[in-house]
């Protein structure tokens, strides 16, 4: 198993810290012999913020809303789409239509700069991983 790129780790930690600071998530660690044995991110006390972000994300994916430039929710959806987990996050929505809509949201939100680069790298990483799995698991 490969190591996560430093930029991806920093982004994950930064987002997680923002969510903890905002009360959207809690953070629980179990340590063993000085190292982190397990880590949980349960729902925090500020459920309204999480609910509003999820509602905004759902509206973007269903076409009930259009993304704004530099839209953070659109950027988060772009990351989730890049690593192909949107169907798990929104299991009640049609897989094909949210994939198509996520592509549109990425284009409309003008996700660029460092975040755009990270999204493209994540997409490439997923494609390479899936290609490698397909090649190595052939009969």
């Amino acid at each position: 198993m490969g190591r996560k790129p430093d930029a991806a780790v920093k982004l994950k930690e930064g987002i997680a810290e923002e969510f903890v600071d905002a009360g959207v998530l809690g953070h629980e660690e179990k340590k063993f012999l000085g190292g982190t044995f397990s880590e949980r991110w349960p729902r925090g006390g500020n459920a309204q913020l999480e609910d509003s972000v999820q509602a905004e994300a759902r509206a973007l994916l269903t076409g009930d809303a259009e993304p704004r430039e530099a839209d953070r929710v659109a950027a988060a959806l772009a990351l989730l789409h890049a690593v192909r987990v949107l169907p798990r996050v929104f299991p009640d929505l049609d897989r094909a239509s949210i994939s198509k809509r996520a592509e549109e949201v990425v284009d409309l939100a003008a996700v660029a700069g460092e975040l755009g680069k990270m999204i493209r790298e994540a997409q490439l990483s997923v494609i390479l991983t899936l290609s490698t799995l397909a090649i190595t698991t052939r009969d």
Side-chain angles (χ1 to χ4, degrees):
M1 185 182 278
R3 210 171 65 90
K4 289 183 185 175
D6 291 335
V9 171
K10 288 178 184 175
L11 179 65
K12 176 194 167 244
E13 290 171 354
I15 291 170
E17 286 175 16
E18 283 184 38
F19 283 159
V20 170
D21 291 345
V24 174
L25 291 176
H27 184 221
E28 300 171 0
E29 285 184 332
K30 290 184 181 177
K31 296 198 178 246
F32 180 72
L33 297 176
T36 300
F37 176 67
S38 72
E39 198 170 23
R40 284 182 13 103
W41 302 89
R43 189 171 179 160
N46 191 356
Q48 316 87 299
L49 180 59
E50 179 185 1
D51 293 342
S52 71
V53 169
Q54 193 171 69
E56 185 177 343
R58 185 172 295 279
L60 286 170
L61 289 174
T62 58
D64 293 337
E66 294 298 320
R68 300 173 304 277
E69 191 172 326
D71 188 334
R72 293 181 79 172
V73 174
L77 288 175
L79 281 171
L80 293 173
H81 176 62
V83 294
R84 300 177 190 242
V85 296
L86 271 177
R88 283 195 259 159
V89 176
F90 297 96
D92 59 315
L93 298 178
D94 178 62
R95 185 182 203 101
S97 62
I98 63 173
S99 178
K100 182 181 177 205
R101 179 63 181 160
E103 291 288 338
E104 293 170 4
V105 166
V106 170
D107 293 339
L108 291 170
V111 178
E114 187 64 29
L115 182 59
K117 180 182 173 192
M118 288 175 57
I119 290 168
R120 288 186 292 280
E121 287 173 359
Q123 288 172 325
L124 180 60
S125 176
V126 169
I127 290 168
L128 290 173
T129 301
L130 293 176
S131 299
T132 302
L133 286 173
I135 292 168
T136 59
T137 57
R138 278 191 174 161
D139 293 328

